[in-house]
Amino acid sequence: MKTNLTELVARVDAYAAKQTLPTEQTTARLRTLLSDALAKATTAEADGTFFVKTGDIPAMWLRDATFQVLPYVKLIKTIPALESFLVGVLRRELRYVQHDPYANAFNQTASGAHWSEDDSDVAVSDLVWERKFEIDSLCAPLFLALKLRENTTHTDYLDDEFWQTLDVIVTVFETEQHHDQSPYYFKRVDCPANDTLTNDGRGTPVGYTGMIWNGFRPSDNACEYGYHVPSNMFVVAVLEPLLPLMPTQFSSLKARIEQLVAAVKAGIATYAVVTLPGGKRGYAYEVDGLGHQKLMDDANVPSLLSLPFIGYTNIDDELYQHTRAFILSAQNPYYYQGKVLAGIGSNHTPEAYVWPISLAMEGLTATDQAVKVGQLEKIAATDNGTGQCHESVSVDDASQYTRDWFSWANMTYCELALDVIEV
């Protein structure tokens, strides 16, 4: 049955209108934003899939799109028609992965539009907007599929196309466990240093760890050290739950996944568990297998802050709690505190700018309801009267922000609001 987006928007708006959060401001913001991805970012395609642009950039990021539509998964029982919409988003993501598993963002059509025309001397498909290799781009569709599995009784989307795409994903992961043998590189000219890879596009040297090499962080900025720990944890979080769901005809793929997950977990335990400032054991953000570590966290998900949300660990896990205390302190170089905000930012945006995504994630990974509500209030109070959550906001002046419309941030606010409502 064809999904009518106009009707879906009306139903989501009607649902939002009935909800009440602890403050008038947070309630009003939910009612403004809950239909954002459906009403403003989504286009229905003739093949039954859906293109979801990231916001004020006309491309579909695999990661962003997953988190943009994720709140709607919670509403399927109330609005069953959302299921076919979400499956349509998933199918489009899978087909993009099949087209180019090293790309992070895609055009709606094969228009030839690219973020930059000077990325490298490797031919980039006309369907690809940007070809930055990010592990999370390949994990995101699997995460969406698992969330659908948790909230629906249908599993038609776990078909041959899904498992064949998973095979493509696993093949890339296996290749990038040995990045020195990989064909992938990324070079961009006339750009900031964090927007390209060093070493002739290969990135800084790494040693074998069992983990998967990653070119760019979820912020789209280059990794300083090649093993991005939260993304490798995301791999474990999405692959392990898929194992018992795999059909018998994919037994060979299942065995490869089991081997891959074991290697990644061993690599995390050996290289990513470190002594944090203050002397407690926790997780590094990046490592290289050669003795170097990056102790920090970034606002973009997957992050160390988000580990319980992505399903890697429990909130009360000791290593996570030690890590959380570190990254939510001034010891994290991207934790900023000012007159109006305190939270985690990114080297993707100006210094002393906090991301509403990280503020929402702080709430989503808290156990105290008052903390969750407090994070909602912070986000709603710093939109500068626009009704939008923005990409990042100055800690001292809410009128200073980046990006007028960033749908991922809007929908992560909604994710937290629905968590508070306990849908």
Side-chain angles (χ1 to χ4, degrees), residues 56-126:
D56 50 17
I57 301 173
M60 180 170 174
W61 265 255
L62 296 175
R63 169 197 59 246
D64 295 31
T66 287
F67 290 117
Q68 284 170 262
V69 303
L70 201 61
Y72 301 133
V73 177
K74 292 183 175 181
L75 303 182
I76 288 174
K77 291 181 175 63
T78 304
I79 309 172
L82 282 168
E83 182 178 345
S84 61
F85 160 70
L86 291 161
V87 171
V89 174
L90 172 62
R91 290 199 183 281
R92 189 166 188 89
E93 290 180 338
L94 296 175
R95 290 166 195 176
Y96 278 147
V97 169
Q98 290 178 28
H99 182 80
D100 187 347
Y102 279 97
N104 58 319
F106 296 83
N107 296 312
Q108 186 173 354
T109 64
S111 64
H114 306 301
W115 176 266
S116 169
E117 297 301 325
D118 303 309
D119 280 351
S120 72
D121 53 2
V122 173
V124 178
S125 162
D126 284 346

Side-chain angles (χ1 to χ4, degrees), residues 323-392:
T323 306
R324 182 185 179 90
F326 159 65
I327 61 180
L328 292 177
S329 77
Q331 293 177 314
N332 173 10
Y334 296 104
Y335 182 86
Y336 303 117
Q337 187 165 5
K339 297 175 183 176
V340 297
L341 274 181
I344 299 174
S346 173
N347 71 339
H348 191 70
T349 47
E351 186 176 352
Y353 275 54
V354 167
W355 286 50
I357 285 175
S358 67
L359 295 174
M361 191 54 60
E362 191 175 341
L364 285 162
T365 55
T367 55
D368 188 332
Q369 186 80 342
V371 172
K372 294 176 182 290
V373 173
Q375 295 304 106
L376 280 177
E377 291 174 337
K378 285 181 187 177
I379 298 168
T382 53
D383 70 349
N384 196 39
T386 65
Q388 299 289 312
C389 292
H390 305 304
E391 179 186 46
S392 67

Side-chain angles (χ1 to χ4, degrees), residues 307-308 313-322 324 365-367:
L307 296 183
T313 191
N314 295 321
I315 289 176
D316 58 359
D317 175 78
E318 187 176 70
L319 285 174
Y320 173 72
Q321 284 298 323
H322 291 167
R324 182 185 179 90
T365 55
T367 55

